[in-house]
Each structure stands twice: as structure tokens, then as C-alpha cells.
Amino acid sequence: MAASIKKAAVIGSGVMGASIAAHLANVGIPSLLLDIVPQALTAEEEAKGLTLAHPAVRNRLATAALAKLPAIKPSPLYDDALASRIMPGNIEDDLHKIAGVDWVIEVVVENLDVKQSLLEKIERHWKPGVIVSSNTSGISINEMAKERGAEFKRHFLGTHFFNPPRYMKLMEIIPGESTDPAIVHKMAAFSERALGKGVVIAKDTPNFIANRIGTYGLLVTLQVMADKGFTVDEVDAVTGPALGRPKSATFRTLDLVGLDTFVHVANNVFEKVDNAEERAVFEPSQLLRDMVARGWIGEKAGAGFYKKIKGAAGSEILSLDLNTMDYAKGKKPASASLEAAKAAKGAKEKTKALLGGRDRYSDLAWEITKLTLVYSAAKIGEIADTIEDIDKAMKWGFSWELGPFELWDAIGLVRSVERMEAEGTQVPAWVKEWIAAGNTSFYKKEAGSVAYAYEGKYRQVEQPKEKISLRALKEQGKVIRSNSGASLIDVGDGVAALEFHSPNNAIGADILVMIQQSVDEVRSNYEALIIANEGRNFCVGANLMLLLMEAQDEEWDEVDGIIRLFQNTMMKLKHSEKPVVAAPHRMTLGGGVEVCLPADEVCMFAETYYGLVEAGVGLIPAGGGCKELTLRASLANPNPEVDLQPHINQLFLNIGTAKVSTSAHDARKLGYLRGSDRVIMSQDYLIHEAKQAALRLVQAGYEAPGQQKIRVVGSDGKAVMKMGALGMRQSGYISDHDLLIANKLAHVLAGGDVPAGTLVTEQYMLDLEREAFLSLCGEPKTQQRMQHMLAKGKALRN
């Protein structure tokens, strides 16, 4: 059903509307982007002699919105060229064209009258069967459509994207009272598979799920802050990663959202709920109103709770002193509970450490957490049917690592409720009844499946078979073999999955050994191998700490052995008798890329940032990355008369500047993906898609690749690359050490000092990689770069 949406219309070309159209373009869906007709000419239009009747004027708003897309950061497009899939227009001249689309999305101003008027116009041109939705963040779906016809209402619903649409996973789908359930199901399936979203079904209540809970949490944080006398910096220290929340915490989040926007969202609940206690929380504070009146509305205005000051020595972030209403340099809070949270591993342990403390910061965290948990529980049945939907909404929409009910379980449901009641906090009756029935948590795991509290009993979490969970399979005893760095897991149908689980999924000897063992195991007992994991990132590269220690101790035989093991493992993976499919996601860097390059096929999550970044730590790729990419260039240009130099020059630039793709589409543009490799929109389905790709290779009668010769550009090509690097050094773009690295890289990519057009073996190229890598490891400036990366998490340019 998801495939039936092939064309769309987006009405409203503000940042949100244009970004939704951009994401539709990302997934291959062309759209109309319509806005109102301007009522006056700009000075530039007058100078050109245009009139209000000219199409360029009438389409100005949508056209201008398209023109701005490339400048938006982070980019709403996978590739700027995809904007060609969006056709600008205006509501007066082009609304009739919606009869030819499958989905119409309203993204105009958050005003009920404006939305009702637009829907009336849409219905005049509407063709039965076309889905119409509103991207409202909180206005009633039923109120919007109350004057529309019965058939129109059956096809109308809310589809609330979170901003920015490309990056935020949450999609709240809000059925109206007359919406056809089949339409809801269709849009949920489409949003998940085609758009890559995580879908929750919300009730038609003010601000729906995520904004209702999230706004409440922010407002009670402000109240507790004011009551207890905490500073902006203190609150953000508590409500960030220490509490399983993003680094933006409370006030950086508010600055990013915009205080004017936040006040509008809060007012939406304040004006529409009847409960006096709830209204009191959602009434924007005098502080917020004062800041909006001053224009201190956040990042877009240059000042909010924080203000960036640019000086001669660089930028400085000042925070607002709420007592004086002046900006000053903040003080970094410190306490035993904050230090304990920092030292703990994982969101559950961090939160337990913070709340388990006995200082004012743990007290602050407890007050905020207590109020948010109780409110979330009180809203079950009103804003959502299940605790699972609330938890997913907060994780996907506000980037919480734990949803409210998962957090409640983490800190101890029974113990925390006892504390709440001892402090006089009213806990919802259903929670107390749940505990009285002998239950000690909202969620429970049994034999790899998860159940959650629902109407007095546990209800199984629905897990479509296409969403393969390696974690669940391991709990079901499907591990074939395992060591400290990786596991081989039976994912069914004769396919085994190799999962990395070392710290940061960094590649060390344990992972390399497991790769070799996996190839042997699959050769004997399985049909195919996939390489995938469920970590935050697929793989950030090799174990840099180990490498640096060996280099500093001048244990060159050890370094040589590490590189040989990596190269030999990748060659064994490449020449596996059974097909291998890699499924990278998110950060896939250095050695992570080199693990993917030997695979027969790559299924890459659309939001994958992929690149050979070794130059950033003073090295070059030596796990086969240089060899594999020069081989691909050679195979793609089998005619010896074709000049390989432009292709090798591009590789030289990409690797030498440690270029990382901004998306899977960009990885293809950079030459890292082949025509046979696939881009997968939803990370939830990535392992399934990799498995299916592997089975297709099996069914096609897979044959392992033999040894292949590589045509190289040789000494002449090396001279070209070295000349380019020298020009960059003379222009001040790179340092002397960068030039040294570039010259080593040029030597490898050129195939050494051989005549242009020479055919060399893969092992010959691997030897060049290893020699260059070893020589760079001995350079003091390379060791400085490695140490800086480990300490600071960013590259040093020395």
C-alpha cells in the first residue's frame, strides 16, 4: 500500500513545508509546493518590469523557499540536485493540480480559521481517494474538518512531522473521528517504510503526545528552577545526558525551538484544557513572556537563555542570570551525583546514579522526573492508548534515551512510587492498582519478547517479522559463536549476522578473529553472511588507542601484525564462498568502511556518514580501502585507452581530505557505493533488507570473486597527485605534515613507481598500503594527531 503514494502536494512553503517537500524528494516522490500569491511587488521585481500577474511573482514564495533549501543547516536534502523533484506554484493558479496527486499535506500557519479555509478550497478540487493531511503540531483534526464532506473526512488525518523532517524519526499520526482505519494503516506503513519514520498513533488532543509531555516537562523544570533558585547552567547540567536526555538539555533546547514558538505551543494546551491544575502548569511564566517581549527568543534572534559573543580570541557562550537578567560566563556545576552519572554507563545507570545521590542536583533531577512521570501516567487513554506510544514519542521526538515508563522501570517502580506518595504526590490510580496486583515494572521480557502494562495485564509488543532484532535473537539463544568484540547470530533462512559490540564498535583483533571464524562457519553451515549491528553507530574505525600505544612503544612488528591481520581478514571476507552483505548505518568511518568494501552488496541506511578518515589522524587507509577503491576504478574502466587519472584524482581528494558523506546518496556520489548497492530509508528494516539481499544472491547462484588485477596510473599519475598536493600546501590549505601524508597516499593510489597502465595484484596494493601506514605511524606529528583524537574527539591540524 505504501507504494501507491507516488506524487504529493505540499501547501505552505515555510521552512517546515519546504523541508517536508525536500524529504519527499529524498525518497523519490515528486511534489507540488504551493503558497499564497504575493500582494505586492518587491523592488527587484519592479526593476525587472514584472507585474503582479507574472508567474514569477505569483509563485515567488514557493520559488524562494526552494532556493533557500541548500542553505539550510543541517540540509533537508540528501543531495541539492533532488530539489528538481519539487515544482513551485501558488494556491490560486495551481490548486486544481492536487487532483493528480496521491497525498496532499497542509503545512500553513497554526491558525484554525486559516486551516479550515484552506481545507474548504482543497475539497473543491479534491478527487476521491486522495489522502489529505495536516502537519499541525496541536490544532484539532476534527475541528479543522468539521465542515467538510463525509468522504473527505474519511481521507483526512493528521501527519505531524517533527522538525527537521529529514532527521527526526517521530511521525505522529492523528486520526479524526471519521478517518477510515485503512487510511491510517496505509499512512503508517508508508511513513515507516518509505519515509523512514517511527510512527505513533495519537489522540486528537491539544499538542498530541510528544509536545504535550515534552512541553509539560520543560515547564515544570522552569517552575522547580524558580522555586529552588537554580541557574540556567545548573539545570542544563542535570537535564542533559545525566538524565538520559540530549546535550541540549532544557535551555539549549528552548533556544533552538524558539521561545516564541514554545510559548505558542504551551498556550495551545493552556487555552484548551479544563483542569485548573494542568492549566496552571501550561500558563507561560512571566519570565518567558518577558524574554519574548525583549526579543530574546533564542538562537534565531542571537540571544535567549544563552548568547554567543564573538571576540578576537574566538566565540564565547554566555548564559542568562535570571536574577539580574544580564548575560555572564556560566559556572560548570559539580557534585557527587553529577560525577556519578557521568561515570556510569548507559542511560539507565546514569539516571539511577543521578537520582540516587544526596545533593541538591539529585533533588532537582528527582523533582523534575517525578512530576513528568506522574503526568505521563495520568495522560494514558487521553493522549495515547498505550505507554509504549508515549515512550516511543518521547524517544523519537525529543531524543530521550528512555521514555517515561522505561525510566520509571529503571529507577524502580515500586520504590519510586513509595517515595512519591511519602512526599504527598498523587500517583494515578491505575499505577497503584498495577503495583497492588503484584507487578514490579511496566515492561517485562520473556524469551526474547517484550510486553508492557495495558489495561491491568501485560500485552505483547507487536514486532513485525521484517523488523529483525539482534538483541531479541540473542536472548532467544540464537548466538552461533561470540567473543568480547563480536557475535555471529542465526537470523533464520540460512543467514547468519555478524554483530560488532566492542566499545564504539571499534575494530580490534577480537572482531577480526570473529570475522574470520564467521566466514568459516558460514561456509560450512549457512547460506550467506550479513554484517550489521544495532549500535548507535555501525563502526567508528579501528582501535586507535591500541595502535597508538604500540607506535609509542615502537613495537613495529606488532603494528605490522595488526595491519596484516586486518588486510588478510578483509581478503578472506571478500573471497568468501558464500555471499556477504554489509548493512552500515550512521557513523561508518575508516575501518568501518573497509569492512563494507569487500562485501558483495551494501544495504546502507539513508542517514549514513561514510568515509575513509585516516588522514585526520595522520595515517592512510591500510585495511584494503585504497586497494579496493582503485580496483573499482579499474574494473569500471576496462578499456586501457580510458584515462583513469580523473577517477584516481577524486579518490585522492576524498581520502586525503578525510571526506565523509552527508548521506547514503552522497556516499554514492563520492563513489563509495556501486550501482548494485541499495539505500534503505528505515533503520528499523535495515537488517531485514540486508538479509533479503543476501538470499537473492544465493538464489541467483552466487560465485565468489577470484583474484583480480588492478590497472594503475603509476609514476606519472603519482606526479599529478603530488603536484596537486604541493599546490594546496603553497596556497596554505594544508600543512607540511598533510603534504607528507598526501605524498604517501599518492604513492599507494598510483600503484607505486610503475609505468602507467601496469596491471598489479591486490596483494601488491595491500603491501603498498601497509608500508605507507607503518612509516606514518612512526611520525611524531601523526602520534600527536592520534592522541588528540582520543582525548578531544576531533582532528588536530599540525
Side-chain angles (χ1 to χ4, degrees), residues 724-739:
L726 181 61
M728 292 183 73
R729 176 67 192 99
Q730 291 173 340
S731 300
Y733 291 113
I734 62 174
S735 68
D736 286 337
H737 194 53
D738 291 325
L739 182 61

Side-chain angles (χ1 to χ4, degrees), residues 308-325:
K308 182 184 284 188
I309 302 294
K310 293 183 179 179
S315 297
E316 185 178 25
I317 304 293
L318 306 180
S319 53
L320 185 62
D321 184 327
L322 301 183
N323 293 316
T324 65
M325 294 304 284

Side-chain angles (χ1 to χ4, degrees), residues 542-612:
N543 187 330
L544 194 60
M545 175 64 80
L546 174 63
L547 192 61
L548 176 61
M549 290 171 60
E550 299 290 6
Q552 288 177 332
D553 291 342
E554 298 186 358
E555 297 285 354
W556 304 121
D557 287 344
E558 292 294 330
V559 177
D560 182 74
I562 292 169
I563 302 309
R564 286 181 185 273
L565 176 61
F566 202 141
Q567 291 182 342
N568 293 340
T569 301
M570 294 306 101
M571 287 294 281
K572 184 166 185 172
L573 189 65
K574 178 173 182 175
H575 297 288
S576 165
E577 294 176 19
K578 302 293 177 69
V580 177
V581 175
H585 66 274
R586 303 287 175 183
M587 300 299 291
T588 303
L589 305 174
V593 173
E594 290 179 303
V595 168
C596 297
L597 289 175
D600 299 293
E601 188 172 323
V602 171
C603 290
M604 183 181 285
F605 174 47
E607 292 297 340
T608 298
Y609 316 112
Y610 195 82
L612 294 167

Side-chain angles (χ1 to χ4, degrees), residues 19-96:
S19 295
I20 290 172
H23 193 54
L24 293 173
N26 287 336
V27 304
I29 297 174
S31 64
L32 298 168
L33 181 62
L34 309 181
D35 212 316
I36 60 174
V37 174
Q39 298 301 304
L41 294 171
T42 65
E44 185 179 0
E45 288 166 344
E46 287 181 347
K48 290 180 179 179
L50 302 180
T51 69
L52 288 173
H54 195 283
V57 176
R58 295 179 70 79
N59 296 341
R60 183 212 304 154
L61 296 180
T63 303
L66 281 181
K68 291 176 183 175
L69 285 176
I72 297 175
K73 302 298 179 188
S75 176
L77 290 162
Y78 291 150
D79 186 323
D80 289 349
L82 296 176
S84 63
R85 292 174 174 167
I86 306 171
M87 181 64 65
N90 69 79
I91 295 171
E92 291 182 18
D93 301 329
D94 302 304
L95 195 58
H96 66 279

Side-chain angles (χ1 to χ4, degrees), residues 64 645 671 677 696 769:
Q645 192 70 50
D677 295 329
R696 285 193 295 271
E769 283 187 10

Side-chain angles (χ1 to χ4, degrees), residues 394-412:
M394 298 316 299
K395 290 190 291 183
W396 295 340
F398 276 73
S399 299
W400 291 9
E401 292 193 53
L402 300 171
F405 298 95
E406 292 173 328
L407 173 57
W408 214 332
D409 280 355
I411 64 175

